[in-house]
Amino acid sequence: GSELKRYGQLGTIRLSNDNNLFFGKENEELKQVLDQTDEKIPTQVSKEARAYYPAFYPFIEKVYEYITLNTLDEDLPTIKDGHENQTVLDRILFK
């Protein structure tokens, strides 16, 4: 599985396997704040798709709701957000 850890002045955050999020304030033990491992993933999708499913499927649901119900979730990323994220990643990868 994958694991991403970030340390800061106020605490530590850890994302495991794109499903489990842990957070701990400075000098405190990490506590799980999000667990999506029980989410049902269709069996017919590829191994690669299964890895992205927990993040991608909820995003697509929000886009669908925006289109069909005309309700915009304030947390829904925009194309501009994606472009800004890609710019940061490109600077890191191609420095």
Side-chain angles (χ1 to χ4, degrees):
S2 64
E3 187 165 276
L4 176 66
K5 290 183 182 178
R6 291 294 171 246
Y7 305 95
Q9 292 178 335
L10 300 178
T12 301
I13 191 165
R14 183 181 84 199
L15 177 64
S16 298
N17 298 322
D18 296 325
N19 294 319
N20 302 302
L21 187 63
F22 299 84
F23 175 74
K25 292 185 179 180
E26 185 179 18
N27 299 321
E28 289 183 8
E29 192 172 314
L30 293 178
K31 295 180 183 171
Q32 190 165 8
V33 293
L34 180 63
D35 179 3
Q36 292 183 329
T37 55
D38 61 347
E39 192 169 332
K40 303 244 188 253
I41 299 174
T43 55
Q44 70 270 22
V45 298
S46 69
K47 181 180 176 184
E48 291 81 12
R50 278 194 291 272
Y52 290 104
Y53 194 86
F56 185 68
Y57 185 72
F59 169 75
I60 292 300
E61 283 291 319
K62 288 184 178 190
V63 171
Y64 174 79
E65 288 172 6
Y66 173 63
I67 293 170
T68 59
L69 304 175
N70 199 26
T71 56
L72 179 61
D73 184 333
E74 302 250 342
D75 294 327
L76 186 64
T78 63
I79 292 173
K80 182 181 177 199
D81 295 328
H83 180 264
E84 289 172 355
N85 287 338
Q86 188 61 50
T87 300
V88 170
L89 290 172
D90 288 347
R91 286 182 183 168
I92 292 169
L93 293 172
F94 304 111
K95 186 175 180 183

